[in-house]
């Protein structure tokens, strides 16, 4: 059977290597995965208890409107419940946006490298992709504005950007949105919002009242530690949300993801602790880079992109793999001499830094 022509060039999303596969391949007993930007501290104990209390309801369909979670999250964000749309991860929300707005003859603007699912979903819808290279890891907002025309339906801004960790400041974001036509949707992907500590990071939710052509994506997969339950959300103009809701599949979020997310919101102390530990972990890597003259991208996420030039990312990736650490090679992320490491717990950070230090020492001796 024939499929859409644009699908021929696409490949499925490639996650990090599974732990069991690495154990078997290298004969290792202990594997630490620092590849998928998961929370090394798991989820709040309140979430675990809530899930156990709901285990008897497996046979019952979830609330398709996610009413309890919707009301809880709306209060937490100080928005109207009608301004929220839920997805099977924020990935599904961006898929809904692409399906609702993009088609052949339209175009979408994004940075590169950035989160690949913007491009992936836009290609599926037959839209033209307009990519603007990052400048030192940051969005080239002026270059992105120059790519917008009357056929531009969506502009994507990933802040903090994955895989660099750089962010768009409040001043620069406001200046950018003010220049974008009202007929173009500006999507701010804030998957790592809760990890941010920068003083000039924008508070985007209040901007929604001023810019109805703006939408914010967030997730419970990162700092809240609910990655396996797959639940994320979009915040936007209520009228726009209503228009794209028909694209959302019925029962697209499970009962367990809904009750877990509701419980997670109630434990902001857990979120604050994870945020603090994450910054301490990032400082461990910064200290390593400074002492070994390794370049890195300043990050506001729970990951850090390290540049080991002239070594290739794949080379560093394989070295770490043999020592029981799974990271992401920059070769697959658009940064061929880099690796992206998820910030782990203190002990795991210390160990992977020790392994990298030994690797650099060996390379120096060889050269």
């Amino acid at each position: 059977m024939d499929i859409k022509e644009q699908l021929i060039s696409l490949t499925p999303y490639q996650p990090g290597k599974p732990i069991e596969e690495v154990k078997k391949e290298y004969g290792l007993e202990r594997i630490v995965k620092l590849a998928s930007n998961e929370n090394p501290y798991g989820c709040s104990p309140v979430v675990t208890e809530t899930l156990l209390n709901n285990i008897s309801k497996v046979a019952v369909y979830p609330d398709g409107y996610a009413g309890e979670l919707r009301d809880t999250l709306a209060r937490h964000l100080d928005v109207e419940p009608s301004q929220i749309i839920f997805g099977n991860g924020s990935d599904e929300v961006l898929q809904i946006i692409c399906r609702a707005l993009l088609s052949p003859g339209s175009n979408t603007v994004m940075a590169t490298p950035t989160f690949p699912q913007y491009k992936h979903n836009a290609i599926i819808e037959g839209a033209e992709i307009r990519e603007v290279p990052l400048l030192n890891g940051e969005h080239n907002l002026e270059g992105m504005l120059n790519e917008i025309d009357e056929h531009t339906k969506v502009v994507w801004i990933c802040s903090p950007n994955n895989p660099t960790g750089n962010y768009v400041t409040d001043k620069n974001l406001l200046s950018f949105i003010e220049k974008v036509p009202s007929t173009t949707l500006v999507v701010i992907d804030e998957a790592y919002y809760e990890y941010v500590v920068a003083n000039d990071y924008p508070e985007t939710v209040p901007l929604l009242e001023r810019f109805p052509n703006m939408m914010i994506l967030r997730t419970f997969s990162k700092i809240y530690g609910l990655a396996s339950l797959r639940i994320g959300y979009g915040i936007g103009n209520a009228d726009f949300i209503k228009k794209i809701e028909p694209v959302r599949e019925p029962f697209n979020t499970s009962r367990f993801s809904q009750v877990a997310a509701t419980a997670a919101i109630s434990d902001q102390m857990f979120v604050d602790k994870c945020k603090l530990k994450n910054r301490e972990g990032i400082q461990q890597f910064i200290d390593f880079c400074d002492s070994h003259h390794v370049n890195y991208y300043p990050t506001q996420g729970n990951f850090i992109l390290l540049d080991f030039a002239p070594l290739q990312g794949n080379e560093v990736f394989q070295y770490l793999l043999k020592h029981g650490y799974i990271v992401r090679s920059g070769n697959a992320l658009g940064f061929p001499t880099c690796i992206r490491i998820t910030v782990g717990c203190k002990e795991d950070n210390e160990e992977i830094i020790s392994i990298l230090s030994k690797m650099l020492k060996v390379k120096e001796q060889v050269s």
Side-chain angles (χ1 to χ4, degrees):
M1 293 183 287
D2 292 331
I3 62 171
K4 289 182 178 180
E5 185 177 343
Q6 60 264 34
L7 295 183
I8 297 173
S9 63
L10 294 178
T11 56
Y13 176 77
Q14 297 295 321
K17 275 203 167 195
I19 289 176
E20 292 305 318
E21 180 181 327
V22 177
K23 280 184 177 181
K24 184 177 180 180
E25 184 176 352
Y26 292 96
L28 298 170
E29 293 185 1
R30 179 176 181 268
I31 299 294
V32 178
K33 184 184 177 187
L34 299 177
S36 300
N37 302 341
E38 297 150 332
N39 188 340
Y41 305 104
C43 65
S44 164
V46 179
V47 171
T48 305
E49 182 180 355
T50 300
L51 287 171
L52 290 173
N53 290 338
N54 278 270
I55 198 68
S56 63
K57 300 177 182 178
V58 171
V60 181
Y61 277 110
D63 174 6
Y65 190 63
E68 183 180 357
L69 172 58
R70 182 180 298 275
D71 290 341
T72 301
L73 183 59
R75 288 193 298 271
H76 178 67
L77 298 171
D78 193 21
V79 300
E80 294 298 319
S82 57
Q83 289 183 259
I84 302 171
I85 184 171
F86 291 101
N88 184 26
S90 58
D91 305 59
E92 188 189 24
V93 181
L94 75 87
Q95 183 184 57
I96 289 170
I97 292 169
C98 288
R99 191 173 181 186
L101 297 182
L102 299 179
S103 59
S106 68
N107 70 72
T108 180
V109 177
M110 64 197 71
T112 185
T114 191
F115 187 53
Q117 293 303 104
Y118 313 142
K119 181 177 181 178
H120 184 93
N121 283 285
I123 290 175
I124 291 174
E125 301 304 329
E128 177 191 352
I129 315 298
R130 297 185 177 179
E131 297 179 290
V132 180
L134 298 172
L135 293 176
N136 298 317
E138 298 186 356
H139 282 66
N140 177 1
L141 297 179
E142 193 63 36
M144 294 174 72
L145 282 171
N146 292 335
E147 291 295 328
I148 297 173
D149 61 22
E150 66 273 19
H151 302 295
T152 305
K153 299 298 183 181
V154 188
V155 177
W156 306 89
I157 296 179
C158 188
S159 179
N161 185 49
N162 181 8
T164 61
N166 298 80
Y167 68 101
V168 178
T169 66
D170 49 8
K171 179 180 178 181
N172 290 340
L173 180 64
L174 182 59
S175 175
F176 176 79
I177 299 176
E178 287 176 334
K179 297 171 185 174
V180 174
S182 60
T183 53
T184 298
L185 179 69
V186 180
V187 179
I188 318 294
D189 189 343
E190 297 182 337
Y192 302 93
Y193 168 80
E194 290 85 2
Y195 282 111
V196 174
V197 297
N199 292 328
D200 58 349
Y201 185 85
E203 282 300 334
T204 48
V205 172
L207 295 177
L208 293 170
E209 291 186 18
R210 182 177 171 187
F211 301 104
N213 64 321
M214 176 181 157
M215 192 162 176
I216 304 161
L217 302 184
R218 292 184 186 171
T219 183
F220 288 96
S221 295
K222 303 306 179 185
I223 206 166
Y224 286 106
L226 306 185
S228 68
L229 292 176
R230 308 306 301 127
I231 185 160
Y233 58 96
I235 322 160
N237 173 270
D239 183 59
F240 176 71
I241 296 294
K242 183 178 180 181
K243 289 178 179 177
I244 67 173
E245 269 282 356
V247 182
R248 183 180 62 83
E249 296 292 334
F251 309 117
N252 65 324
T253 59
S254 71
R255 171 183 295 274
F256 301 106
S257 63
Q258 291 177 28
V259 297
T262 303
I265 294 170
S266 72
D267 192 357
Q268 290 301 307
M269 187 178 295
F270 173 80
V271 173
D272 292 340
K273 287 180 179 179
C274 291
K275 182 176 182 177
L276 177 61
K277 290 178 180 178
N278 181 68
R279 292 317 300 183
E280 292 172 348
I282 287 173
Q283 191 60 49
Q284 288 179 270
F285 286 103
I286 290 175
D287 292 344
F288 158 76
C289 291
D290 290 344
S291 62
H292 289 82
H293 307 290
V294 172
N295 291 324
Y296 65 92
Y297 289 82
T299 180
Q300 290 293 318
N302 69 334
F303 57 88
I304 188 165
L305 189 67
L306 308 183
D307 192 345
F308 287 92
L311 298 177
Q312 287 289 300
N314 282 346
E315 184 179 353
V316 181
F317 168 80
Q318 288 295 335
Y319 184 89
L320 290 173
L321 202 60
K322 292 176 182 178
H323 288 80
Y325 275 83
I326 307 174
V327 299
R328 287 303 295 265
S329 169
N331 290 85
L333 301 173
F335 293 88
T337 59
C338 296
I339 59 168
R340 191 194 69 193
I341 304 176
T342 301
V343 177
C345 65
K346 181 180 179 181
E347 295 74 22
D348 288 337
N349 296 337
E350 288 175 347
E351 186 172 356
I352 194 171
I353 285 171
S354 175
I355 295 169
L356 289 170
S357 299
K358 291 176 182 177
M359 180 195 74
L360 291 175
K361 186 176 182 179
V362 169
K363 295 297 180 181
E364 288 175 2
Q365 292 174 345
V366 172
S367 59

